[in-house]
Amino acid sequence: MNIQEPKKKLLERFRKNNIKIRLKKTDRVLIIENLNYYSGLLGFGSKNLYAISNISRPKYLPKKIKFKNFNNKTLDFDDNYFKFIFCNGVLSHLDNHKKIISEIYRVLERDGISWINLYGQSPFANIRKKFNVKMNKDKQMILSKILATYGWDQDKIKFLLEILNTKKTIYFKKKKIEDIFRKVGFRKINFCKRGYKTDLSEKNYKNQYSNFFLRHSELRYLLKK
């Protein structure tokens, strides 16, 4: 697995949104799913990383990173435990997202911060939902190989497979999710408009014509407890 690409994306998103995070080596950091972003998080200074996932521990994850299984219901840590929590995308696949957001708040230290990424509601998202079909992994692999034979690049193939993916996806309205953050207790809510060069948010930022269709297809926040 290429762990440099997630690191590159993460650092570029933070740079474009003028986010500067400096952590002590002993500050505890938690990654919720999407564990391949660990290399980017190490760049913030902490050497005390924890990771949780609902799958078994990935082989690429360094031994120094502490790992726990995630039951998709609670975060198995004490109150006020982490300085920084990275949650990229998983909330858009959980019906109990409000509970997990509350859990993130609970285990954050006072003045702790969290990066949360979700799928945003938009006319494009509505079109996506209509095109969802039942396609298992074997069929996705076959389609991927066929498209590669036709000369499609990997980004385009990934995009199409995401549209056809049957995995449940929840699309959030910007105002509604921000209201949830406030009710949970977060004191500062920073919406991150910019993204990596292939992100829909970045393409939308540069091409205002696409605002009607994409709007905030990707919702990324830096939250402070």
Side-chain angles (χ1 to χ4, degrees):
M1 172 175 285
N2 179 10
I3 62 171
Q4 294 305 314
E5 186 65 18
K7 176 181 179 180
K8 183 178 178 182
K9 288 182 178 180
L10 176 62
L11 298 180
E12 180 69 4
R13 288 166 183 158
F14 276 45
R15 184 187 69 80
K16 285 184 176 178
N17 287 286
N18 197 30
I19 297 172
K20 297 178 181 178
I21 296 178
R22 296 291 182 269
L23 300 172
K24 298 177 183 177
K25 289 183 179 180
T26 55
D27 284 337
R28 287 185 287 259
V29 174
L30 175 64
I31 315 172
I32 304 175
E33 301 292 357
N34 285 297
L35 307 187
N36 53 347
Y37 278 96
Y38 79 86
S39 57
L41 298 179
L42 285 172
F44 300 140
S46 172
K47 305 299 180 185
N48 197 7
L49 268 65
Y50 293 69
I52 61 173
S53 176
N54 57 17
I55 61 173
S56 58
R57 183 186 183 106
K59 292 182 179 179
Y60 64 79
L61 200 66
K63 293 182 180 179
K64 62 184 177 181
I65 296 179
K66 306 169 189 67
F67 179 84
K68 284 187 177 185
N69 284 116
F70 180 35
N71 62 13
N72 291 345
K73 296 178 181 179
T74 59
L75 301 182
D76 187 21
F77 299 98
D78 294 335
D79 295 354
N80 309 309
Y81 198 72
F82 293 101
K83 185 69 176 181
F84 181 68
I85 296 177
F86 182 81
C87 182
N88 199 71
V90 66
L91 292 178
S92 285
H93 304 296
L94 299 177
D95 287 326
N96 64 335
H97 49 269
K98 291 181 182 179
K99 170 66 175 176
I100 301 302
I101 292 171
S102 295
E103 283 287 282
I104 290 173
Y105 181 86
R106 178 184 66 81
V107 301
L108 271 177
E109 296 179 9
R110 175 69 176 175
D111 293 326
I113 52 178
S114 178
W115 167 272
I116 290 183
N117 173 66
L118 318 100
Y119 289 116
Q121 185 64 267
S122 68
F124 172 72
N126 292 332
I127 293 172
R128 233 180 115 172
K129 285 188 286 187
K130 291 180 181 179
F131 274 91
N132 273 198
V133 297
K134 291 184 177 181
M135 180 171 288
N136 61 32
K137 289 185 178 180
D138 289 337
K139 290 181 179 179
Q140 288 187 35
M141 182 63 69
I142 292 171
L143 178 59
S144 177
K145 290 181 178 179
I146 291 173
L147 294 176
T149 301
Y150 274 94
W152 283 46
D153 62 46
Q154 289 302 310
D155 282 340
K156 289 182 179 179
I157 293 174
K158 181 181 177 183
F159 172 73
L160 181 60
L161 292 181
E162 284 180 350
I163 290 178
L164 300 178
N165 196 349
T166 58
K167 186 175 182 181
K168 182 172 183 178
T169 302
I170 300 169
Y171 297 93
F172 295 89
K173 291 183 178 180
K174 184 174 181 291
K175 183 180 183 302
K176 189 172 182 179
I177 192 63
E178 290 175 0
D179 286 343
I180 291 174
F181 292 150
R182 292 187 186 94
K183 289 178 181 178
V184 166
F186 285 105
R187 293 185 296 122
K188 291 186 179 180
I189 301 170
N190 179 25
F191 174 65
C192 303
K193 191 174 183 179
R194 303 294 303 273
Y196 187 63
K197 61 183 180 181
T198 58
D199 293 343
L200 286 177
S201 57
E202 184 63 15
K203 292 180 179 181
N204 193 32
Y205 180 86
K206 291 183 176 181
N207 181 5
Q208 296 302 307
Y209 178 76
S210 65
N211 271 335
F212 174 78
F213 297 102
L214 299 178
R215 294 182 190 169
H216 301 302
S217 296
E218 297 164 344
L219 301 175
R220 297 188 176 98
Y221 291 92
L222 198 70
L223 309 172
K224 188 173 184 179
K225 182 172 179 177

